[in-house]
Amino acid sequence: MPASPTRRLRDAAASLTLVGLTALSACTGPTVHSLAAPVVAEHAMANEGPDPVHSLPDLLPGMPAPLDPLDLYAADRPGGLAPFLANVTARVWVPNSNGHTLSEIDPTTFRVIRTIDVGLNPQHVVPSWDLRTLWVNNDKGNSLTPISAITGQVGAPIAVHDPYNLYFSPNGRSAIVMASKDRQIVFRDPHSMAVQKALDVPCDGVNHADFSPDGKYMIVTCEFTSELLKVDVEHMTLLGTLPLPGGMPQDIKISPDGSTWYVADMHRNGLYVLNGDAFKLTGFIPTGKGTHGLYISRDSKTMYITNRDEGSISTFDFATGELTNKWRLPGGGSPDMGGLSVDGKELWLAGRYNRVVYVVDTQTGKLLHKIPVGSGPHGLCVWPQPGRYSLGHTGILR
């Protein structure tokens, strides 16, 4: 039997000398882009010798080669900021979906320092592929509000229909809008947001996604009809669907070694385990009521799992494939979406139904801070983040 695409990629990569940081981390400094009229960023590699992308023919064309064939998150270590982000003032950006505002938090004082009016029903704050723009997804406002990821300057919104969530192809050539109500996945220019292709999908509630190690396909969750979609990224076509009876799939993450996918399900209260290449379920792990968000530790060893409907966070060990802890928020709560601090010592989460943001110690599970924000806080983004490029959502960097 021929090897799977994931296995071929890992075997090919393992035969190479591991490459250093590529395109973004090799930049000598920021290029100033107009927020109102973004321009195409520099995607060329800055390595000497043969381009590692072309040394691995199984990769999506133009995609940066993995730093470590056995760890997709190897670029996400605490010291791994792109040089042009090294002096950026740390901020946490919180979209308040019901209040139509954005809260800007200083993570050193744990206080809201600015509240910004944005479009109707903002859902997520998403770093661009080139790490230079943070996009506020104004779902019902049918727009994206750009914020400079370097200066924090807020730009003029760009008209984009139904942008519930936003991702980027691993080669940076497409922004991928999850148009939940439109029943579409819309591929767009990553800067101007002009439509490249609108892919109609046979499900309701396209929402979260993650990408294969070679970048050639992504798996997308459909929360309202309980399905998964497998999508060809390069050709922008639907490869298949997989029903999840009785479920409500939310966030999805691939394991560091690229062999296994995990799908959070709010109705089933746990994680589906998936073989992405075969597109088949291989197991299920109960975690807690209302399983929702998935976040990878800075050392790639642990996954933090938010159980929104019981106010808890479960921890999962990739090496053993087992749950290791369950941390309960004092007094309960609704931990939803968020991200890790640069050093990985804090997990920041929106309290979706409690008008707060939680800050949790990732070693002890202790609640460090509870910060009041607006109504309906959702997909917050901790910024900056280590990594070479962004795949979207609240900060999936590789």
Side-chain angles (χ1 to χ4, degrees):
M1 179 181 295
S4 69
T6 298
R7 179 64 181 274
R8 290 200 306 270
L9 170 63
R10 293 171 62 196
D11 290 348
S15 67
L16 298 175
T17 301
L18 297 180
V19 297
L21 293 179
T22 51
L24 295 175
S25 60
C27 293
T28 56
T31 298
V32 178
H33 297 314
S34 167
L35 290 176
V39 297
V40 176
E42 304 84 357
H43 295 311
M45 293 293 168
N47 297 290
E48 296 181 0
D51 187 337
V53 170
H54 299 299
S55 300
L56 293 172
D58 287 326
L59 290 177
L60 177 72
M63 171 185 158
L67 291 184
D68 182 342
L70 299 180
D71 184 358
L72 297 176
Y73 307 101
D76 297 351
R77 300 294 183 259
L81 288 176
F84 63 88
L85 296 176
N87 296 317
V88 168
T89 301
R91 290 290 184 260
V92 178
W93 302 91
V94 187
N96 302 302
S97 298
N98 300 334
H100 321 304
T101 61
L102 183 72
S103 297
E104 180 183 356
I105 297 176
D106 182 338
T108 64
T109 64
F110 303 98
R111 294 181 180 273
V112 175
I113 60 173
R114 182 168 54 152
T115 300
I116 305 163
D117 290 328
V118 289
L120 194 65
N121 198 224
Q123 294 291 346
H124 303 92
V125 177
V126 178
S128 63
W129 185 90
D130 62 8
L131 310 181
R132 297 178 184 275
T133 304
L134 303 176
W135 294 101
V136 184
N137 298 182
N138 306 310
D139 184 32
K140 293 181 180 178
N142 297 313
S143 67
L144 297 175
T145 299
I147 300 173
S148 169
I150 299 170
T151 68
Q153 177 188 354
V154 180
I158 295 177
V160 171
H161 201 266
D162 192 20
Y164 186 81
N165 212 338
L166 178 64
Y167 290 83
F168 292 88
S169 61
N171 58 12
R173 295 175 184 174
S174 296
I176 304 172
V177 173
M178 299 298 164
S180 178
K181 291 184 179 179
D182 290 344
R183 293 171 61 103
Q184 288 184 331
I185 297 174
V186 185
F187 293 80
R188 293 175 175 267
D189 180 275
H191 303 283
S192 69
M193 295 296 163
V195 174
Q196 297 171 339
K197 180 178 179 178
L199 174 64
D200 293 326
V201 296
C203 69
D204 287 332
V206 288
N207 190 343
H208 299 94
D210 206 352
F211 296 81
S212 60
D214 60 10
K216 290 189 173 182
Y217 72 82
M218 64 178 178
I219 296 179
V220 180
T221 64
C222 297
E223 60 178 318
F224 299 135
T225 49
S226 192
E227 300 170 76
L228 300 179
L229 306 178
K230 189 172 184 177
V231 176
D232 184 313
V233 175
E234 183 177 8
H235 301 102
M236 308 177 193
T237 56
L238 182 65
L239 297 173
T241 63
L242 181 64
L244 303 174
M248 191 177 186
Q250 301 295 314
D251 205 0
I252 179 171
K253 285 291 186 298
I254 192 170
S255 63
D257 67 2
S259 65
T260 308
W261 301 63
Y262 299 92
V263 183
D265 195 286
M266 286 189 65
H267 282 179
R268 293 291 305 278
N269 303 320
L271 301 177
Y272 290 103
V273 184
L274 178 75
N275 181 312
D277 290 342
F279 203 37
K280 291 183 179 180
L281 297 177
T282 60
F284 185 82
I285 304 169
T287 63
K289 190 176 181 181
T291 312
H292 198 81
L294 307 175
Y295 305 96
I296 311 299
S297 64
R298 291 276 172 245
D299 60 7
S300 305
K301 294 180 179 180
T302 302
M303 182 162 61
Y304 306 104
I305 305 159
T306 62
N307 304 306
R308 190 172 76 183
D309 295 342
E310 68 174 32
S312 74
I313 301 158
S314 298
T315 61
F316 176 81
D317 184 273
F318 285 112
T320 64
E322 296 180 352
L323 298 175
T324 52
N325 287 294
K326 179 177 282 190
W327 302 326
R328 296 187 180 274
L329 297 174
S334 52
D336 193 282
M337 290 291 165
L340 290 167
S341 58
V342 173
D343 60 12
K345 294 181 180 180
E346 297 169 347
L347 177 62
W348 289 70
L349 298 168
R352 187 73 174 272
Y353 303 126
N354 297 84
R355 301 175 68 111
V356 296
V357 166
Y358 310 109
V359 186
V360 177
D361 186 304
T362 56
Q363 295 300 309
T364 66
K366 179 182 178 181
L367 178 64
L368 301 174
H369 299 277
K370 190 160 63 173
I371 306 166
V373 288
S375 177
H378 193 197
L380 71 79
C381 178
V382 181
W383 194 254
Q385 291 285 313
R388 300 173 299 164
Y389 61 94
S390 167
L391 295 174
H393 192 38
T394 59
I396 305 173
L397 272 65
R398 292 187 186 172

